Amino acid sequence: MPTSVTPRTAALLDELVELFLAEGFRDTTLTALAARLHCSKSTLYAVGPSKEQMIVAVVRAFFRRATTRVETRLAATSRPEKRLGAYLLAISDELSPASPAFFADLDAFAPARETYTRNTEFAADRVRELVREATTRRGVDATFVGAVAGQVMEAINSGRIGEATGLDDAAAYRALADLLTAAVSPR
């Protein structure tokens, strides 16, 4: 996204995030986007100088905003054994508006997929920290649980969990939250 963001550009970015989450982005044209958002194509170029760069800017904006909201929810939870579940449930909530078309387009467009992958890697590192923080039961290996969480998160990102279970990414994160919370909670 450009360094100097006007209020109109910020509002347009918000609209594009919502539109992409609902419908995906691969098959849309700049002309169609401009018509739907009641702006000119040159206004869209304020978000990114090409369609590809605009898509990347919108996807990055989505994940940046989602990360901020997830961390805000996490900060509101003080008990270590509750923070892990709160974090994963917040991720689930952030991903829930994303349509199958959005995820298919993320997968098909390498720069957007890379953004999702980097975000997932960051989240997996954060989960490992939260697992170590939450592990209070004897016999629970925080390193192992954290590694499992990271592997599952990567499998969610790549679509393997969805293929194996039929769960969308948001539902898979909810299930992971349930599983890991049970693993690290005192009996």
Side-chain angles (χ1 to χ4, degrees):
M1 197 162 83
T3 54
S4 60
V5 178
T6 67
R8 173 64 180 136
T9 303
L12 186 60
L13 192 56
D14 290 341
E15 291 177 76
L16 286 165
V17 166
E18 296 304 314
L19 185 62
F20 286 10
L21 287 173
E23 300 175 15
F25 49 81
R26 186 174 45 179
D27 294 332
T28 193
T29 65
L30 290 178
T31 301
L33 284 173
R36 288 198 57 193
L37 299 173
H38 308 291
C39 68
S40 66
K41 287 198 300 189
S42 63
T43 302
L44 288 174
Y45 287 126
V47 175
S50 69
K51 178 183 175 186
E52 292 77 14
Q53 290 171 322
M54 181 192 65
I55 289 168
V56 170
V58 172
V59 170
R60 284 182 181 157
F62 165 67
F63 283 111
R64 187 173 36 253
R65 292 171 185 176
T67 299
T68 299
R69 287 189 296 261
V70 166
E71 288 294 333
T72 298
R73 282 182 55 185
L74 179 62
T77 307
S78 60
R79 291 181 53 202
E81 67 276 8
K82 299 287 186 189
R83 288 171 50 83
L84 177 59
Y87 184 78
L88 291 167
L89 290 173
I91 290 173
S92 172
D93 290 346
E94 291 300 322
L95 292 176
S96 65
S99 66
F102 176 76
F103 284 115
D105 290 353
L106 273 181
D107 189 50
F109 184 53
R113 183 178 58 246
E114 289 168 15
T115 298
Y116 187 27
T117 298
R118 277 193 310 277
N119 194 71
T120 301
E121 289 167 354
F122 170 80
D125 288 342
R126 190 71 166 110
V127 165
R128 286 180 194 95
E129 291 172 19
L130 293 168
V131 166
R132 283 190 294 275
E133 178 185 303
T135 304
T136 58
R137 278 191 4 210
R138 290 180 188 218
V140 174
D141 185 328
T143 302
F144 176 77
V145 174
V148 167
Q151 291 294 312
V152 172
M153 292 170 77
E154 289 171 19
I156 292 169
N157 174 14
S158 72
R160 293 189 319 268
I161 293 293
E163 290 170 8
T165 66
L167 297 174
D168 64 23
D169 289 19
Y173 272 99
R174 281 191 302 277
L176 182 60
D178 292 343
L179 178 68
L180 293 181
T181 300
V184 300
S185 295
R187 292 182 190 217

